[in-house]
Amino acid sequence: MATSGADTPRQVTQVREQLHETFDGMIDDSDIAHFRGGHYEQRFLSRALAALAVRRVGKCGVAEAARFVTDGIADQGLDAIAPLPESGQVLLVQAKWSDKGTATFDVDAAKAMVDGLNRIENELYDQFNQRAADLALEARTLLIKGKTTLVIALMGTAEPSPPAREVLDNARDEFNRYGARLGVEVLFAADFHEQVHADLRPEAIRLHVRLDDWYQQKGPLEAYQGTVSAESVAGWYETHGTGLFEQNLRAPLGTTVTNVEIGQTLTSDPTRFWYLNNGITMICDELKTHHESAKAPRSRPTTLEVTGASIVNGAQTVRAVARAMHDDGEAAANATLSIKVVNTREDREFGVQVSQAANRQNAIEQRDHIALEPVHQAIKANLRAELRKQYVIKRGELAAPETGCSLDELALALACLYPDAEQAARAASSTENLWEQGSTGSHTLLFKREPSPQKVWRSVLTLRAVRSAVYELGSGRNSREAATAEHGGLLVTHLVFQHLGPTSIDDPDFDWDSEILEKIPALVPELVRRLTHQLVTRYGPRSQIRTAFQTAETCRELAKQVLADLADGVGVPAPPAKERKKRRPNTVPLLVDRRVLKDGTPLRYVALNEPEREATEEWLAEDERRRQATWVNHRTKPILWAYDEQRYSPSGLVSRIWEDAGWDERPVSNQGTARWGQPDGRSLWNLAQRIHSEDDEEDGEEA
C-alpha cells in the first residue's frame, strides 16, 4: 500500500546505493554503455529497480533477477520477464525510477504493459528484443498453466491513476474469465527501502546442537541444558563468526589475558575445562528436537535444530575455544562445556532480558545496555544502506576508521555538535555520562531522534579532524596551551561545529570536506589560543584548566565569548613564550603507574606515514589480527598481539610487524607508542601527553 512521502528522498538515496552495490556488473548494460552521466544512470536504475522488484516478489537470487531484465528498445512495456517454474508463476514488471521519489504510473504505461502481456499470450516473440523474446518463450507455458502477476515498480508514493487502474482491471477480468490466472501487485518506494534493508540484515543462523547429559527445563518456554563438545562450538564460530553474538550485549573482547588462559586450559588440560568454565547461553527463534532414542530419549544424546541462534552469554569462551581448536585441535577436541538453549519464539524483548540477566555476573557497563536500544540498530542499518559504512555498536567490536565508526565515537561527536556546550563538558568529565538516560540524560538528548547517515558520518569525521589537529600541535605549544588542547579538545570540537555552522550537516550536496574539514587544521590552533586567553583573563593564571572544561557553566561562558570574538573579528591574542619543560617519564611506565587503561583494552596499529603504509598494508590486510592487540598493565611488555597471543613492547611489536611485512628500508628505531592506540584514534602517546599536561597544570598552580 502507499505510504507517506515524508521519508521518500532518504529512501531514494538508500535504494540507489544498494541498487548499484547489488546489480553493478550483474545487469546487461551493453546497449546503454555509450550513454554518459545521468543519461546512463537513469536507464541503469530503472533496470536495477525492475530486478529488485523480481527479487522481492519472486524470492529469487541477485543473478537470477538480473537475468530477467529486458528493459530497452522493443521491450514492449515490460522491463523484466521472470518465468519462475519452481513456484509456477510468471512476473511481468514495469519499473519507474525517480530521483525525487515521485514516480507515477499512468494510463499509457498500463496500456503498454497489457499490450506486452498480450504479445506473449499470442506468441508474437519476434516483436520483442532478443532478451525479452527468449524470456517470453520461457514464460509462455507458465502464463497459460500457472499464475501471472503484473508487477508495477514505482520509486514513488502515489497509487496508479484511476484510468490506469481501469486498464489493469479490464485485463485481469479478461484473463481470469476461466480461472484466477492474472494478478496485479504495486510496489512503492517504501517497499524497496524495506527490501534493501532486509537484504542487508544477516540471515538467521541455523545450528545443530548435539547435547549430552541433557534435560528439558520445565516452564512456559521451551529450554534445554546439557553438555556440548568444544569441537562443535568451534565449528559454529568458524562458520558464522561474530554473527553468533548478534543479540549479545558485547562482542568478543579480543585477545585478553583471560581469553588466552581459557585457550591454554583447553589445550593443556581439556578434561577439566567443563569444571573451570561457566559455559554458554544461547537463545533462538525456533527449536526442534531429534532424539536418538524414541523409548528412552534421555538415556541418549539429543540434537536440537535451532533457527535464529544467538549466543547471549559466553562470547569470550566461544572465541577462545575456536582459537584453541585452531592452534591444537587434537587436544582441545577432548573438552566439553555446558550450554543452555532457550527458545524465545521471536520474542525480542524477552531475548534482551535473557541477554542482560545472563551477563550480570560480568563487568557489564551502562554502555553495553545502550547498545541494544532500537535507535542504534536503525543508525547501523541506514548508515550501511546509504553510505556503505559500518556502525560498530557493541563493546569489543572494531571497525577500521575508513570504513566506519563506533557508538562511542558517534556519541562524543554528537555531544560536541549539540548546541549547548554542556554536553561537551559532561563528556570531558567522563564518557560514562554519555549513556545517561532520562529526560535530561545525555543519551536521551543526543539520540532522541535518529541522526541521518550524513550527520553521523560528518560529525565523526569532524571529531577526528579536530583530534588530529590537536595532536599536530604537539609539544610546540607552551604548557597552558598544551593543557587547553588536551583537556579542551571536546569544547574545541564544539566551537568548530558552531563557528563553521552545523546547519548543512544533513545536506548531501553540501561539500563538507572543503567547507569544514579542510579549514580545521588552521582553525584549531586559533581556537586553542583564544580559549587559553579567555581562561587566563576570566579566571586568572592559576585556573584549573582540566576542571574548567568539565564544568557546564564555564564551558558555556567560554564558548559564548570565543564565538562572539570570532564573529566580531577580534584579533587573536599573541601566544606566551614557550616554556622550558622538565624531563618526563617514559610513556609505558607512566600509563601503567596511573592505570590509565584497563587490562584487555583493544588497541590497533596505525602507520604514521605513507612509506610505512605502503610497506605494511598488504601484509596487514591478509589477516586483520595482525593490526589488533590488547593492553596489559605490564611495564616492559604491555601489548598482547592478537596474531600470535604473545606480549611485546610497543616499539618491539612495530619492529616485528615491519620485519614480517618485508620492509627492507625500515628505520632502525620507531615511536611505538604513537602507532598503537584505541579504536577512537587516541594513541598511547596521546594518553601520556594528557597526563603530562595535567601534571604541568598542577605544577603551575603550586608555583
Side-chain angles (χ1 to χ4, degrees):
M1 59 179 294
T3 60
S4 169
D7 294 328
T8 303
R10 183 171 173 182
Q11 291 171 346
V12 171
T13 300
Q14 295 186 10
V15 172
R16 179 194 293 113
E17 289 297 318
Q18 291 310 303
L19 289 178
H20 277 293
E21 184 164 342
T22 304
F23 293 110
D24 276 350
M26 301 294 293
I27 291 175
D28 184 358
D29 64 351
S30 57
D31 59 322
I32 60 172
H34 62 283
F35 288 104
R36 295 289 181 268
H39 297 292
Y40 171 87
E41 178 78 352
Q42 296 301 306
R43 289 168 172 80
F44 171 82
L45 290 173
S46 177
R47 295 183 180 190
L49 191 68
L52 186 60
V54 172
R55 267 188 49 69
R56 182 170 179 84
V57 179
K59 311 298 182 188
C60 60
V62 171
E64 189 177 15
R67 183 178 78 86
F68 294 142
V69 173
T70 60
D71 184 30
I73 297 173
D75 62 22
Q76 304 303 347
L78 301 178
D79 298 329
I81 300 174
L84 302 169
E86 289 188 5
S87 58
Q89 65 173 332
V90 176
L91 306 181
L92 304 179
V93 183
Q94 187 174 129
K96 300 291 185 182
W97 174 265
S98 166
D99 287 336
K100 297 181 179 180
T102 56
T104 58
F105 189 80
D106 59 21
V107 65
D108 290 335
K111 288 178 179 178
M113 197 173 194
V114 172
D115 184 55
L117 168 64
N118 287 324
R119 289 172 193 263
I120 298 176
E121 168 80 5
N122 296 322
E123 302 184 79
L124 301 176
Y125 307 127
D126 60 339
Q127 297 181 9
F128 289 92
N129 63 47
Q130 189 60 54
R131 284 195 304 269
D134 293 340
L135 290 167
L137 181 60
E138 284 186 53
R140 178 65 167 70
T141 301
L142 291 172
L143 188 144
I144 298 300
K145 296 181 179 180
K147 176 74 181 293
T148 301
T149 303
L150 301 180
V151 181
I152 301 163
L154 301 177
M155 185 46 63
T157 61
E159 290 277 0
S161 68
R165 273 292 186 187
E166 184 178 349
V167 170
L168 296 175
D169 290 343
N170 290 340
R172 184 164 50 193
D173 292 342
E174 181 180 349
F175 270 80
N176 292 342
R177 187 179 306 168
Y178 301 107
R181 295 170 50 202
L182 183 67
V184 177
E185 184 167 350
V186 184
L187 301 177
F188 299 97
D191 296 306
F192 293 113
H193 184 253
E194 180 185 351
Q195 183 63 42
V196 298
H197 278 268
D199 288 343
L200 290 173
R201 285 194 291 269
E203 292 186 13
I205 291 178
R206 292 175 170 81
L207 299 176
H208 286 84
V209 182
R210 188 177 188 275
L211 296 181
D212 287 298
D213 303 322
W214 63 275
Y215 71 91
Q216 183 175 1
Q217 178 66 35
K218 294 180 180 179
L221 293 177
E222 189 177 21
Y224 292 82
Q225 188 155 350
T227 300
V228 67
S229 70
E231 187 174 10
S232 293
V233 173
W236 301 341
Y237 187 78
E238 182 177 351
T239 302
H240 301 287
T242 56
L244 283 171
F245 317 118
E246 186 66 25
Q247 297 183 59
N248 201 323
L249 295 181
R250 300 176 300 190
L253 297 178
T255 306
T256 66
V257 172
T258 300
N259 290 347
V260 170
E261 290 175 351
I262 292 174
Q264 290 172 347
T265 301
L266 276 163
T267 54
S268 64
D269 199 0
T271 59
R272 295 191 179 187
F273 184 74
W274 184 92
Y275 301 96
L276 301 175
N277 186 269
N278 290 331
I280 59 181
T281 300
M282 176 188 294
I283 63 175
C284 63
D285 297 329
E286 299 177 23
L287 186 153
K288 296 178 182 178
T289 56
H290 301 280
H291 300 308
E292 293 188 11
S293 172
K295 293 182 178 180
R298 294 190 182 182
S299 66
R300 301 288 300 277
T302 191
T303 298
L304 307 181
E305 183 182 345
V306 299
T307 301
S310 182
I311 293 173
V312 296
N313 185 40
Q316 319 310 320
T317 295
V318 172
R319 184 193 177 281
V321 166
R323 183 62 184 263
M325 284 293 300
H326 178 272
D327 293 343
D328 189 354
E330 186 174 351
N334 294 315
T336 60
L337 59 156
S338 62
I339 183 172
K340 179 166 64 176
V341 182
V342 181
N343 182 7
T344 64
R345 297 189 178 93
E346 300 189 44
D347 185 340
R348 298 299 180 209
E349 184 176 349
F350 183 71
V352 170
Q353 291 176 352
V354 173
S355 181
Q356 292 174 334
N359 284 285
R360 279 178 184 152
Q361 70 272 26
N362 298 321
I364 296 300
E365 302 174 3
Q366 178 63 19
R367 180 234 184 274
D368 296 321
H369 294 284
I370 288 296
L372 297 176
E373 292 285 329
V375 65
H376 296 296
Q377 300 299 329
I379 292 171
K380 181 176 182 177
N382 288 318
L383 190 65
R384 173 68 180 83
E386 193 161 323
L387 299 181
R388 305 184 190 181
K389 301 294 182 183
Q390 292 179 293
Y391 181 49
V392 171
I393 302 174
K394 297 173 185 175
R395 193 159 53 97
E397 291 182 311
L398 296 174
E402 64 275 10
T403 63
C405 64
S406 68
L407 164 58
D408 307 72
E409 206 174 14
L410 175 59
L412 277 175
L414 294 182
C416 297
L417 177 63
Y418 200 76
D420 189 342
E422 178 182 2
Q423 296 304 319
R426 288 187 187 181
S429 180
S430 172
T431 54
E432 292 299 311
N433 292 330
L434 294 171
W435 320 126
E436 184 182 347
Q437 302 271 35
S439 59
T440 60
S442 290
H443 182 268
T444 302
L445 294 174
L446 300 179
F447 293 97
K448 187 174 183 179
R449 295 180 179 175
E450 179 200 342
S452 70
Q454 292 287 352
K455 187 174 186 178
V456 168
W457 191 237
R458 287 173 170 178
S459 63
V460 167
L461 289 180
T462 303
L463 175 68
R464 291 175 181 173
V466 173
R467 280 181 164 172
S468 178
V470 168
Y471 174 83
E472 289 298 326
L473 290 176
S475 59
R477 305 282 106 182
N478 68 82
S479 61
R480 293 197 68 80
E481 287 192 3
T484 297
E486 184 60 42
H487 299 301
L490 295 180
L491 185 59
V492 170
T493 309
H494 172 78
L495 292 172
V496 168
F497 277 124
Q498 300 306 310
H499 177 60
L500 296 180
T503 55
S504 300
I505 196 167
D506 286 311
D507 182 0
D509 295 325
F510 183 76
D511 190 348
W512 193 262
D513 285 356
S514 63
E515 295 298 325
I516 305 295
L517 298 183
E518 292 178 7
K519 296 179 180 179
I520 287 175
L523 179 59
V524 166
E526 178 183 349
L527 292 173
V528 168
R529 193 175 304 158
R530 288 182 182 275
L531 280 173
T532 305
H533 174 72
Q534 289 298 328
L535 277 168
V536 173
T537 301
R538 288 170 171 269
Y539 306 107
R542 295 188 178 183
S543 57
Q544 290 190 335
I545 294 178
R546 176 176 48 180
T547 303
F549 291 121
Q550 296 175 353
T551 306
E553 194 54 43
T554 302
C555 283
R556 287 193 186 107
E557 292 176 1
L558 290 172
K560 181 179 179 181
Q561 188 59 54
V562 168
L563 291 172
D565 286 351
L566 284 168
D568 295 341
V570 176
V572 182
K578 182 179 177 182
E579 302 169 6
R580 185 176 180 180
K581 297 182 179 181
K582 62 183 180 181
R583 180 176 176 81
R584 292 170 166 175
N586 291 333
T587 295
V588 171
L590 178 64
L591 296 179
V592 173
D593 285 340
R594 303 295 179 92
R595 297 287 159 170
V596 175
L597 298 173
K598 298 177 183 177
D599 284 341
T601 299
L603 301 175
R604 186 177 180 86
Y605 167 79
V606 177
L608 294 186
N609 53 61
E610 193 57 35
E612 182 180 355
R613 275 188 289 272
E614 290 181 357
T616 60
E617 182 56 34
E618 182 177 352
W619 183 80
L620 292 168
E622 290 175 357
D623 190 329
E624 276 300 308
R625 294 178 301 170
R626 291 172 175 172
R627 62 174 108 236
Q628 296 171 5
T630 48
W631 174 263
V632 180
N633 278 295
H634 188 277
R635 294 181 183 280
T636 57
K637 295 183 177 181
I639 308 292
L640 181 59
W641 197 18
Y643 184 56
D644 65 1
E645 295 188 342
Q646 301 298 312
R647 293 213 303 253
Y648 298 84
S649 68
S651 57
L653 183 49
V654 170
S655 295
R656 168 74 186 275
I657 289 173
W658 288 355
E659 181 180 357
D660 288 357
W663 190 9
D664 296 332
E665 299 179 1
R666 59 185 181 274
V668 176
S669 60
N670 66 79
Q671 187 183 3
T673 55
R675 290 171 166 84
W676 288 102
Q678 299 178 89
D680 63 8
R682 290 181 297 171
S683 69
L684 301 178
W685 186 86
N686 293 145
L687 297 174
Q689 291 301 110
R690 179 168 188 164
I691 297 173
H692 293 321
S693 64
E694 291 174 358
D695 292 345
D696 289 342
E697 182 182 350
E698 291 175 0
D699 290 343
E701 292 165 4
E702 292 174 1

